Amino acid sequence: MFVYHAKLTGCRTEVLSKHKHNEPLPETVLRVKALESLLVEKGLVDPAALDELIDTYETRIGPRNGAKVVARAWVDPAYRDRLLSDASAAIAEFGFTGRQGEDMVVVENTPQVHNMVVCTLCSCYPWPVLGLPPVWYKSAPYRARVVAEPRAVLAEFGYTLADDVEIRVWDSTAEVRYLVLPMRPAGTQDLDEELLAELVTRDAMIGTGLPRSPRA
Ligand code: FE
């Protein structure tokens, strides 16, 4: 069973573009593509370097912030309580603030409940803690299927949960961005906060994955 928390109320990216949620940004996208081709053509940027830059923000710098928050919550019960009761303030203790992270809610995985995050309307995502959203997060199939068949989606990411684990799917909106607080992996009693943070993957904080095992 899963619970679908629908809050179809919009998206902050409208401030930038006034785009409708189901539509791409034709003019902006075209302008960016034109600019990129021109820069590449003139030899001013290397396309591989651009890809590298995007990958850095998508998978390294951004999610490392979220990983620090998660690791702190694992080692500090008082911090965990603050994170669950007022996530924006608790995350701001690290200095992680700014656009798309103003109104954060952290949802905690337990042995009974697994949380997954989506933006069914477009690509709302908590930038200050996760960086840029991955391409699949913005894709129509993920946005539609995670709501209808979260277990199947999770399986495609390589994770299977016991049948009695409830899956809750949280729909990001203009008002609220979600971060999943995954369960601390077994066998990590001896690890300090810094080493624990290394186990926290981006996907574990979206709910499409789980933290790494310390043995891996
Ligand atoms: Fe959105």
Side-chain angles (χ1 to χ4, degrees), residues 184-191 196 199 212-215:
R184 180 171 173 165
T188 56
Q189 305 84 335
D190 299 332
L191 301 189
L196 285 170
L199 303 177
R212 290 191 194 95
S213 158
R215 287 160 300 162

Side-chain angles (χ1 to χ4, degrees), residues 1 12 59-61 65 67 71 100 119 146-148 159 178 184 195 207-208:
M1 162 196 181
R12 273 213 181 86
T59 64
R60 285 178 262 159
I61 294 173
N65 288 353
Q100 313 271 330
C119 174
V146 73
V147 173
Y159 299 93
Y178 297 96
R184 180 171 173 165
L195 288 172
T208 50

Side-chain angles (χ1 to χ4, degrees), residues 2-8 84 104-110 113-126 137 142-143 146-148 150 166-173 176-181 204-208:
F2 72 93
V3 179
Y4 171 47
H5 302 261
K7 297 189 192 83
L8 308 180
L84 294 176
M104 292 292 307
V105 168
V106 169
V107 287
E108 185 181 38
N109 287 348
T110 68
V113 175
H114 180 84
N115 296 284
M116 298 177 79
V117 179
V118 65
C119 174
T120 54
L121 295 179
C122 49
S123 56
C124 295
Y125 196 70
Y137 182 87
Y142 175 76
R143 285 155 43 203
V146 73
V147 173
E166 178 189 345
I167 298 184
R168 293 183 185 163
V169 180
W170 300 86
D171 193 3
S172 311
T173 69
V176 177
R177 304 299 157 94
Y178 297 96
L179 184 78
V180 175
L181 174 55
M205 295 180 279
I206 303 175
T208 50

